[in-house]
Amino acid sequence: MTEGSIGRVTPQRLAFDTPLALASGASLPHWELAYETYGTLNAARSNAILVCHALSGYHHVAGHYADDPKNVGWWDNMIGPGKPIDTNRFFVVGVNNLGGCHGSTGPSSINAATGQPWGADFPIVTVDDWVNAQARLADALGIETWAIVMGGSLGGMQALQWTIDLPERVRHALVIAAAPKLTAENIAFNDVARQAILTDPEFHGGNFYRHNVRPVRGLRLARMLGHITYLSDDQMAEKFGRKRRPSAGSYGFGVEFEIESYLHYQGDKFAGYFDANTYLLMTKALDYFDPADAFEGDLAAALARAKAKFFIASFTTDWRFSPARSREIVNALVRNKQSVSYAEITSPHGHDAFLMDDHYYHAMVAAYVRNIKT
Amino acid sequence: MTHTLKRSDFDVIASWMKPGESVLDLGCGEGELLQLLGERGLRGWGVERDPGLVLAAVENGVNVIQSDLEAGLAGFENDAFDHVVLSRTLQTMRHTQQILAEMLRVGREAVVSFPNFAYWKNRMAVLNGRMPVSEDLPYQWYDTPNVRFFTMLDFEGLCEGMGIVIRDRQVLEERGGIVTEEANFLGSLAVYRIGRGS
């Protein structure tokens, strides 16, 4: 089978009218999830894969839209016919999480109770909440058990949470470039990003929609900061070093170094489409994620209930969630005598490596997935 | 190293283990031993450094953890496994004493196999002025991964010095047959089952 794109895909949306109780104690009475599916669910319903997204991702995981052929899914190099996640064999579901800004109910959605965007009233959502919402989608799609739940970074954390919260419903978890919880340093970076947004005068306490403005400056700074943590020092040195722009040498504060230009571009691009409230929620979900917390900090105790088999991968230059963080998960699983394989992949691309087209990385995922029966 | 020879070593190792027990295979390569032990009802995990071998082990469907043994076994708890295996790998490691101590920390007992440098053909080769090349030492001096060259007597001396108890020993000749006498002279590959001294 030749390797290729899944081609044209169509986003779908499902509305839920049974309230979703959230970890915070709040409840969402009506909510919607945007999702996409690729491939075909088999008669035994045993070939379904859930792909969970990271901080800025969404349900458009692979393929492209008919009216927007350049809008290729964020994990298109991983998922498609003949690719590591082979859509000739598997039925793949991508979903936008609650609190998102790509079609699922979130702060920019209209709150039926007020007729206004949710804004600051949208409740804080956690990784557990996302797992619960995704499980409702699985119910609606007729999927009792996922062959695989997978994701990178915050997506990997959801895969991990699935195995703990709903152990009977996950056969395999692929947890890539993730961590069992955030460190103080991780939370510190998230807080600076949030402060950039919260202190933007156009944030208006989260209700900027009604003022017809967007906290673009704060969001831009948040993304610039985040982007630094996604790259590696080595890669930045190689790609940018101290390279200057043509305008350099003016002894002013304009854009002089290429790295500045790059970060400004990334910040502007992101601030142009992403919702600031969603960014706040996603970083908060990251901060709160700590499945071991309910077990006196004992990750092995938290994972003991998992019935899934695990594939864990990390990248050598990832300093946001370093290989040592993935090893914490591996060690806990081995301590429980659970099935786990772990790849520590040599890559110059830092945390972003999980999205990159790397031969060894993809061969590893393909090899693991090939052994999974459908 | 041929498949059948590898198996001869593995059969000895497997004979010392029971279904239901857990095993950590250090330097597991493509995971052949773990596959064999899995077929016999053991639960196993491998540790391997080489990316190509880790990939092969994943293809073979065994649990494999990509890690460098020279960095120790810090991630594994005391008494985590019934057995820890180091098959044909000890001679490639620099921190010999450290890895032996670590194996007996994380495992109830350990199995170590290694090429016996005192095998008569190896002695002959050195007497003839050349470094030995054999089934169990299949490398030229300039491309060998082996960094420690030692004999059965050397190993047993180290065990005594470290307070390690030798519980069992099987010695194989080059074609995999069992050697019963003059082991340090006739044995090409030695397989030891060791434990902590009291």
Side-chain angles (χ1 to χ4, degrees):
Chain A
M1 205 65 71
T2 54
E3 188 176 300
S5 168
I6 189 73
R8 204 176 282 180
V9 298
T10 312
Q12 300 175 72
R13 202 182 278 210
L14 198 61
F16 298 83
D17 284 322
T18 24
L20 188 73
L22 303 173
S24 66
S27 170
L28 279 176
H30 310 284
W31 46 287
E32 290 188 359
L33 289 180
Y35 67 100
E36 289 180 11
T37 72
Y38 324 115
T40 309
L41 187 62
N42 64 14
R45 296 164 188 256
S46 61
N47 69 335
I49 296 179
L50 176 66
V51 179
C52 305
H53 68 75
L55 201 150
S56 61
Y58 60 122
H59 52 285
H60 185 35
V61 182
H64 61 265
Y65 297 141
D67 59 352
D68 190 3
K70 285 187 178 164
N71 187 354
V72 174
W74 57 267
W75 223 352
D76 191 74
N77 59 24
M78 179 69 84
I79 296 156
K83 291 183 177 174
I85 302 298
D86 189 348
T87 48
N88 292 320
R89 281 189 70 211
F90 290 98
F91 176 68
V92 179
V93 179
V95 60
N96 186 209
N97 282 328
L98 282 178
C101 55
H102 287 90
S104 293
T105 302
S108 54
S109 312
I110 301 297
N111 179 356
T114 63
Q116 295 291 318
W118 278 90
D121 293 336
F122 195 86
I124 295 275
V125 282
T126 65
V127 171
D128 298 78
D129 295 332
W130 288 337
V131 168
N132 284 335
Q134 290 159 0
R136 301 277 286 276
L137 176 65
D139 295 341
L141 295 173
I143 298 161
E144 177 56 35
T145 305
W146 298 101
I148 302 173
V149 178
M150 68 186 292
S153 191
L154 178 55
M157 294 171 177
Q158 291 159 61
L160 204 59
Q161 193 74 54
W162 259 96
T163 69
I164 296 168
D165 289 355
L166 298 163
E168 310 287 345
R169 301 189 71 173
V170 192
R171 284 165 52 211
H172 295 268
L174 273 57
V175 180
I176 300 167
K181 64 184 175 203
L182 266 59
T183 61
E185 185 187 59
N186 296 143
I187 295 169
F189 276 117
N190 280 348
D191 186 50
V192 175
R194 280 193 296 269
Q195 289 303 319
I197 292 168
L198 293 167
T199 58
D200 186 319
E202 296 191 316
F203 182 64
H204 294 289
N207 295 316
F208 49 88
Y209 315 97
R210 66 177 71 144
H211 298 270
N212 284 319
V213 292
R214 299 175 63 247
V216 172
R217 283 168 290 181
L219 192 53
R220 176 175 177 269
L221 283 177
R223 182 59 167 183
M224 286 170 64
L225 177 72
H227 217 87
I228 296 168
T229 70
Y230 304 150
L231 304 177
S232 73
D233 195 21
D234 288 353
Q235 182 196 18
M236 274 209 222
E238 192 190 328
K239 196 168 172 184
F240 306 106
R242 295 182 54 84
K243 271 186 258 173
R244 313 292 176 101
R245 303 283 296 167
S247 57
S250 59
Y251 293 94
F253 295 109
V255 177
E256 296 206 282
F257 292 91
E258 286 289 359
I259 183 62
E260 296 176 307
S261 168
Y262 173 79
L263 282 179
H264 294 186
Y265 170 76
Q266 292 294 339
D268 288 337
K269 192 172 78 168
F270 188 73
Y273 72 88
F274 208 80
D275 181 79
N277 283 314
T278 291
Y279 200 89
L280 295 176
L281 287 174
M282 296 286 161
T283 59
K284 208 66 194 171
L286 272 164
D287 291 0
Y288 279 139
F289 179 72
D290 183 6
D293 190 45
F295 298 85
E296 294 171 342
D298 185 346
L299 182 61
L303 283 165
R305 63 187 57 198
K307 296 197 166 162
K309 296 181 175 181
F310 291 81
F311 174 82
I312 315 283
S314 69
F315 300 90
T316 49
T317 54
D318 183 352
W319 57 280
R320 189 182 171 96
F321 299 139
S322 70
R325 310 307 314 284
S326 284
R327 271 305 295 265
E328 291 174 32
I329 303 170
V330 173
N331 294 343
L333 291 167
V334 172
R335 190 173 136 199
N336 290 338
K337 303 281 196 299
Q338 286 162 297
S339 282
V340 56
S341 279
Y342 168 64
E344 192 171 304
I345 295 150
T346 301
S347 164
H349 295 296
H351 187 58
D352 263 353
F354 86 87
L355 296 167
M356 300 290 171
D357 196 354
D358 177 276
H359 178 75
Y360 177 65
Y361 164 41
H362 281 187
M364 198 65 88
V365 173
Y368 185 85
V369 170
R370 214 175 292 127
N371 283 328
I372 295 175
K373 294 184 179 67
T374 57
Chain B
M1 223 175 290
T2 66
H3 187 63
T4 45
L5 273 170
K6 191 112 186 164
R7 290 299 286 239
S8 67
D9 163 22
F10 289 173
D11 285 341
V12 172
I13 295 170
S15 73
W16 290 335
M17 301 177 182
K18 292 196 289 283
E21 290 183 326
S22 62
V23 57
L24 181 68
D25 183 8
L26 304 177
C28 69
E30 299 183 1
E32 305 101 314
L33 175 62
L34 289 170
Q35 281 185 304
L36 174 74
L37 295 175
E39 286 161 15
R40 298 190 183 190
L42 282 97
R43 304 217 57 204
W45 292 259
V47 177
E48 180 55 60
R49 174 183 59 183
D50 181 85
L53 293 174
V54 174
L55 177 59
V58 169
E59 280 169 352
N60 286 331
V62 302
N63 293 317
V64 59
I65 295 158
Q66 188 166 357
S67 183
D68 187 350
L69 294 180
E70 296 284 12
L73 303 177
F76 302 111
E77 297 209 314
N78 295 351
D79 291 313
F81 304 92
D82 294 315
H83 308 274
V84 181
V85 176
L86 190 65
S87 167
R88 299 179 191 240
T89 302
L90 187 62
Q91 75 280 2
T92 69
M93 297 194 60
R94 293 190 178 277
H95 301 107
T96 313
Q97 286 171 278
Q98 180 194 309
I99 193 66
L100 289 173
E102 279 286 89
M103 288 173 76
L104 289 173
R105 177 182 67 81
V106 304
R108 208 165 43 74
E109 62 176 39
V111 174
V112 178
S113 73
F114 57 86
N116 178 28
F117 203 72
Y119 177 49
W120 69 271
K121 282 192 186 173
N122 298 341
R123 299 186 193 204
M124 286 291 291
V126 174
L127 272 178
N128 288 327
R130 305 292 294 265
M131 287 299 283
V133 177
S134 69
E135 288 285 350
D136 293 311
L137 284 169
Y139 301 98
Q140 295 294 337
W141 66 272
Y142 50 81
D143 68 0
T144 181
N146 300 334
V147 296
R148 300 275 183 244
F149 298 93
F150 52 101
T151 71
M152 290 173 56
L153 288 178
D154 290 331
F155 180 75
E156 289 172 16
L158 177 65
C159 287
E160 193 180 349
M162 289 181 68
I164 292 172
V165 175
I166 294 169
R167 293 183 179 164
D168 233 320
R169 185 184 89 178
Q170 278 282 16
V171 185
L172 306 174
E173 47 108 2
E174 251 182 296
R175 289 181 187 165
I178 304 282
V179 174
T180 50
E181 51 191 28
E182 296 292 342
N184 197 40
F185 186 73
L186 298 176
S188 175
L189 188 76
V191 195
Y192 284 85
R193 189 161 73 93
I194 58 177
R196 284 167 235 160
S198 52

